[in-house]
Amino acid sequence: MNSTFKSPHAHVQKLTGETRFVEDISLPGQLAGGILRSPHAHARIVNIDTTKALEIEGVHAVLTAADVPRLAYGPTKYKDWNIFAESEVLFIGDEVAAVAADSKELVQAALQMIDVHYEGLPAVFDAEEALSPESPLLYPQTEQNRPMHLQLERGDVETAKKDAEIVRGGRYVINPIYQGHLEPIAALASWSEEEGITLWAGSHIPYRARETYAAAFGLPEDRVRIIVPPIGGSFGAKYVLKMHIIAAALSMEAKRPVKMVFDRKEDMISAHPRVPLKMDVEIGATADGKFVYKDVVVYANAGARIYWSPNIVATACTRPDGIYHFNNVRAEGNLCYTNNSPTTCMRGFGNAEMLFAVESIIDEIADSLKIDPAELRRMNIVHQNERTAHGYQLDSCKLEECIDTVKKMANWQRRDSLPKNRGLGLALGNHVSGFRGIDPRFDGSTAVLRLKATGDIEVETGEIDLGQGLSQTYAKIAARELGISDQAIIVKSGDTARHPFGIGTLASRSTVMGGNAVQLAAAEFKRKLSAFMKELYGTEGKWDERFIVVGETAHSFKEIATLFRMKNAGEELLVRSTYVPNTELPDHTYYGNPSPNYPFAAHVAEVEVDPDTGRVKLLGYWAAHDSGTILNEVGAISQVNGAVAQGIGWVTMEELKLEEGRVMNPSIMDYRMPGAADIPDIQVSFIEGEDPHGPFGAKSVGEVALDPVPGAIANAIAHAIGKRGYSLPFTPEKVWTLLHTEESK
Amino acid sequence: MNSTFKSPHAHVQKLTGETRFVEDISLPGQLAGGILRSPHAHARIVNIDTTKALEIEGVHAVLTAADVPRLAYGPTKYKDWNIFAESEVLFIGDEVAAVAADSKELVQAALQMIDVHYEGLPAVFDAEEALSPESPLLYPQTEQNRPMHLQLERGDVETAKKDAEIVRGGRYVINPIYQGHLEPIAALASWSEEEGITLWAGSHIPYRARETYAAAFGLPEDRVRIIVPPIGGSFGAKYVLKMHIIAAALSMEAKRPVKMVFDRKEDMISAHPRVPLKMDVEIGATADGKFVYKDVVVYANAGARIYWSPNIVATACTRPDGIYHFNNVRAEGNLCYTNNSPTTCMRGFGNAEMLFAVESIIDEIADSLKIDPAELRRMNIVHQNERTAHGYQLDSCKLEECIDTVKKMANWQRRDSLPKNRGLGLALGNHVSGFRGIDPRFDGSTAVLRLKATGDIEVETGEIDLGQGLSQTYAKIAARELGISDQAIIVKSGDTARHPFGIGTLASRSTVMGGNAVQLAAAEFKRKLSAFMKELYGTEGKWDERFIVVGETAHSFKEIATLFRMKNAGEELLVRSTYVPNTELPDHTYYGNPSPNYPFAAHVAEVEVDPDTGRVKLLGYWAAHDSGTILNEVGAISQVNGAVAQGIGWVTMEELKLEEGRVMNPSIMDYRMPGAADIPDIQVSFIEGEDPHGPFGAKSVGEVALDPVPGAIANAIAHAIGKRGYSLPFTPEKVWTLLHTEESK
């Protein structure tokens, strides 16, 4: 009779190997599930015959569009999702049918026995090309394959162009990359009449997922429960996923639990890569280095369905304007449907992409004007107490200190005397700590704190630990507010039926949004517990770890919990607090104050380029960050280390090779990601200071740590070889070609 | 793809047939379970061989004591439970082994293949006999087979005996009866590593059940979740049950859900009947009818294990002292282990039993003194603002009005001129509205109210609707506090993982305890919602059903719910309130104020006795009740109707025939329960008035409605035939014998 216990602390579980991911979870009577995917980028479905598949013994469900609700739904306002393709498939990998059976082998056998008759249709794969009237329309109701066309201007860019004494820019191209989560996408769905749909699945926005999945089936939200086990990495890949819905549909049909786990190939084919962007970017400046305008046009390849690409386009078009005074800015964003697999978020979320262009151009201007690139930046950056072009209220900003610090760290003055083929590149980054507008309805977070009968303090949150260490950070916040160590505190999250509502982990929001809620709740908890002590003993007592000392007597939390229940009808001491940030939803012109605060960073990369092979080797990396107060130092440093490593992969090696919509390298063998040998020593420094809006003054760190990486590496390469690449990644082949081409652009 | 919805209202579901009891619930991969029970009342287990059972294909688990934790546990302080009998069986029906298999038939086949070698041991079945040194001891550590020996005295009974001018009394015997719930006992258990034990089971004290079951397995409480589907009757039978634990153990072993549903025979053999009592009761009075003492000795047959019999003994020994001024009272309670199936609660809970004796004796005294029995009672009853002998604080008491009213209703003055063989009998009853001491740790209740996105108001409670209509009453309480109708209000309860803690439905506590919590929460909810309206519109607005009207505009709850979420980080408007009653835990002398308030009743029964057959026919029944404010009139009248019908069954026909511990009539064919033809027209009148401690002044009604029934019927029979029976039930045979015996006692 098994009654194993886990450590209550998520990070300890990871160390001891106790962590159980979705794949490790099994339910009685569980079946395996699998999806039949379109082999065509665009085709009409003439007929589907599932007869033979259904005849296989051990096959419990075979589903196509004919068997499921056909409602228009989707996680954003673009309701272009289905459960299965009905009349047309729109990309290679599009979901056509699904099978639940006794084993994975039977699932595969049954999938092969489903007979689909397709009739090929013309397809389009390039975002710009998709806008042409000659291209096939993916959705008849969407003109020009363009579901979103952003146009904004502040100031007067045309007039500013006349004032510019130097103009630099060009077309920058962002590679489609795989988020590279270690844990493949997986779901375990269990449907019952009593409980509705229960889904164990790694979504870091499970409440939005619940809303979306309920809509897919036309169910009320409380008939869907999402339980989020520990997530083995996401980086944006695991928001809201159709495979979760298909697992649920199979379970509803088979009336048995269904587990579906992608292998790496399916994960790479059907998971949704970083949105590839083409960006025409131009920046103008005066001869003494004052920026006068920035003008951008973005073409974003959404693939065949909308995940979060609209938000990424908007971010690319606006976010860098929160670092520099460009004075006049204009942006056009074109989101384009194509017959590629839908694309979606990844850490950095449009900003890191655009900063690759902006930071490259700034270095070009600096070179041309013979101004130190760091100095040119210093001349144009934002400062504390400013409100930026699009309305960001900077109540804290230590960007200047970041630049000064990273220069010192990297020994910047040696830049002019580096050996041959070596370069130092600097770039800046900013980000948000939550983004008002991801859910236009509301913003903020709620936390519950309770004193358990065991004497543990339990924190419940609706935000999700996707591996970034949210549980540990929240425990530290609660502990700091309570004045004790975090060992007595257990953080629980990831169950939509049990925990408070949360928007989820995205836009670097968890520390500030959920953390503020935890801090509020902890303060209220302490007040309530102190009042109870006063009621009992006439004094609040003195807290000492798991005890409150009154006179000579140390009362344990456990004892106090028992006394509290005795005085309160068995009810635990429980508080529930909501943090509602003072943010402003960006208006239709994208003006607003979307985040409680804004972190900044300055990074320097040092590279050496092998002129014979074009190989770029990172020799050093220095990061100076303004993330306000650092609550969890190990966690924060690890975030920067991880982001830099991820950026090195993105910028120097990674790319999903797409040929007519087909991923040609769907394996970790063929899709190279960085290993330990690719990563230099990374030095991190935090310029601490209290932001007035963060918990104990904290700001976010997760994404701002990636934002400067492409620019810093690009600038270092340009510095090393005197030529500049405009298209990521800087593979040896591309760099070699650059070295051996007369004109780099 | 099934996505059926139920009406959100439990009482509507019952009318439409949508209600799903445990038996109606199925989980994927579910097995059937069954229990192997001892055929012996007392025997040593020499050997158990499960080999053959395990060999049967389709059998997934066979368990005996050797396979499960062997911890001492139990729902009360008497920790005499096991999961399976280990070395000895203690009663016919004792659980020896259990099987989970693909079908009920396979379960039965496997149970038959379990080979148990028993060696018979001497047994004892009678409570008094169990106390004898010659009787076998069931538990070596329990002296004299007497786990509880209550002794209390107030005043000086020996001295009072000298003052008594008239003394009446005798030995009264209470029959073991089956609670007669329509829905047999059932459980569906599902164990998984992730969720621990989930148990769908009809327990009306699920939090205590959780605590008990967790202890049985040595698990922390949060590894056990109890979900209580609608309960098809309990009347005390479904508190905490070993079969629930066995279902869980089977599920843990088989790693599949296991459903176990008793058929009627197993339900009657293994469910636990009303505690049979032998009561030696004596009351003394002065010649003018003033009571001077009451002296009782109770022998209670606990059977072989402790369920709730200790509390029943204590109630029998004390509760009637809350109706009359006996002035000096003494009680001895002997709880005795015997080799019968364990006995447990049933509506009335010791009080109805003792009142059978007390009300019989009072009528004998009235007869002897030639005082009208109603008048004799009036002379001796308690009144408002008194504190009774054992400390009950009567802040409301309309017992006198009850007597006067029921006399009018029954046309009492015709008593002296009734036709031959007809009789009118009057009896009083009292009860509690919750009993401080059922859980000595705490008392009270917690309610959560939330405004759902749908615009419904959801009430969550830890108390359980066992069919008495708690959901409807709570909806009415919330609605009344909010000033709207109860249609917008949905009551949810019965899930230990989702709802607030509750002690549960027992001791007639639900209306007052849970109801007060609901009222507090509703008041807070209204305050919070009104404050929100003021924040939005500068005025609280005027509530009009599902709308709040501001000026010319009616804002729907749904609209307001959306606005609230928008202003509060997606958090619903939610309040959580705890009601802690001003009760006092009875001390070791049983002195205390165990209930917030005390309901009273006076009943009159009219019978006709057929002198040829001894058959008792009820001709009429009148009930006048002081239950404070009546919140749910239909529900309250139904409670009285149901209690009277149940009492008629108990008093005139029902009895589990036990021969050496074996139930000889385990079927509804052989165990006669009343049908419609046995029930007269029942007239109910409520003497309304606000009690200061109940929600809107309410007191309980569920059990006080049964308490007077045995006395009223006994007195009516005695009045009809001039002779008195002392042993329930008054079957035709017994009454005929009485009629034809010279001396009735």
Side-chain angles (χ1 to χ4, degrees), chain A residues 4-15:
Chain A
T4 315
F5 301 118
K6 297 178 184 173
S7 156
H9 300 290
H11 59 287
V12 176
Q13 288 170 24
K14 282 189 184 149
L15 287 172

Side-chain angles (χ1 to χ4, degrees), chain A residues 1-6 20 24-29 63 67-69 190-195 200 217-220 222-223 225 227 249 252-253 255-257 436 440-446 450 452 458 492 497-498 500-501 503 565-571 574 576 578-580, chain B residues 1-6 20 24-29 63 67-69 190-195 200 217-220 222-223 225 227 249 252-253 255-257 436 440-446 450 452 458 492 497-498 500-501 503 565-571 574 576 578-580:
Chain A
M1 206 147 281
N2 192 336
S3 53
T4 315
F5 301 118
K6 297 178 184 173
R20 288 160 60 89
D24 302 316
I25 300 171
S26 287
L27 290 179
L63 293 177
D67 308 304
V68 296
S190 177
W191 184 87
S192 73
E193 178 65 35
E194 306 316 306
E195 300 274 277
W200 282 260
F217 293 108
L219 291 170
D222 61 8
R223 294 282 287 170
R225 174 186 179 195
I227 300 173
M252 289 167 93
E253 178 72 11
K255 306 207 186 319
R256 299 261 293 267
R436 184 86 179 84
R441 296 168 297 182
F442 33 68
D443 195 10
S445 192
T446 296
R450 61 170 92 223
K452 304 287 290 179
E458 205 169 272
K492 296 222 166 168
R498 296 196 185 179
F501 178 86
I503 289 165
R565 291 192 70 202
M566 286 177 68
K567 297 270 183 186
N568 289 279
E571 172 84 347
L574 180 153
R576 187 177 185 108
T578 297
Y579 166 66
V580 180
Chain B
M1 205 146 281
N2 193 335
S3 54
T4 316
F5 300 119
K6 296 177 183 174
R20 288 159 62 89
D24 302 317
I25 300 170
S26 286
L27 290 179
L63 293 178
D67 308 305
V68 296
S190 177
W191 185 87
S192 72
E193 179 66 35
E194 305 317 305
E195 299 274 279
W200 282 260
F217 292 108
L219 291 170
D222 61 7
R223 293 283 287 170
R225 175 186 178 195
I227 300 174
M252 288 167 93
E253 178 71 13
K255 305 205 186 322
R256 299 261 292 266
R436 186 82 179 85
R441 296 167 297 182
F442 32 67
D443 194 11
S445 193
T446 296
R450 61 170 92 223
K452 305 286 290 178
E458 207 169 271
K492 297 222 166 168
R498 295 197 187 178
F501 178 85
I503 289 166
R565 292 192 70 201
M566 287 177 68
K567 296 270 183 185
N568 289 279
E571 171 85 345
L574 179 152
R576 187 178 186 107
T578 297
Y579 165 65
V580 180

Side-chain angles (χ1 to χ4, degrees), chain A residues 450-458 556-563 565 570-573, chain B residues 210-211 221-222 441-442:
Chain A
R450 61 170 92 223
L451 182 60
K452 304 287 290 179
T454 53
D456 289 313
I457 296 170
E458 205 169 272
S556 70
F557 281 177
K558 188 172 175 175
E559 173 198 341
I560 297 165
T562 302
L563 289 169
R565 291 192 70 202
E571 172 84 347
E572 291 168 346
L573 195 157
Chain B
R210 179 179 66 171
E211 189 176 359
E221 280 189 44
D222 61 7
R441 296 167 297 182
F442 32 67

Side-chain angles (χ1 to χ4, degrees), chain B residues 112-162:
Chain B
Q112 282 168 27
M113 300 301 277
I114 298 173
D115 199 10
V116 189
H117 180 192
Y118 294 102
E119 227 172 58
L121 292 169
V124 61
F125 304 102
D126 178 77
E128 269 179 291
E129 211 180 305
L131 299 179
S132 147
E134 276 86 64
S135 289
L137 277 187
L138 272 80
Y139 297 88
Q141 71 278 23
T142 304
E143 255 182 88
Q144 274 193 292
N145 287 318
R146 185 162 63 178
M148 176 203 195
H149 186 208
L150 176 155
Q151 285 174 296
L152 75 83
E153 182 162 7
R154 301 218 191 280
D156 178 348
V157 169
E158 286 306 322
T159 304
K161 284 192 177 189
K162 292 171 197 148

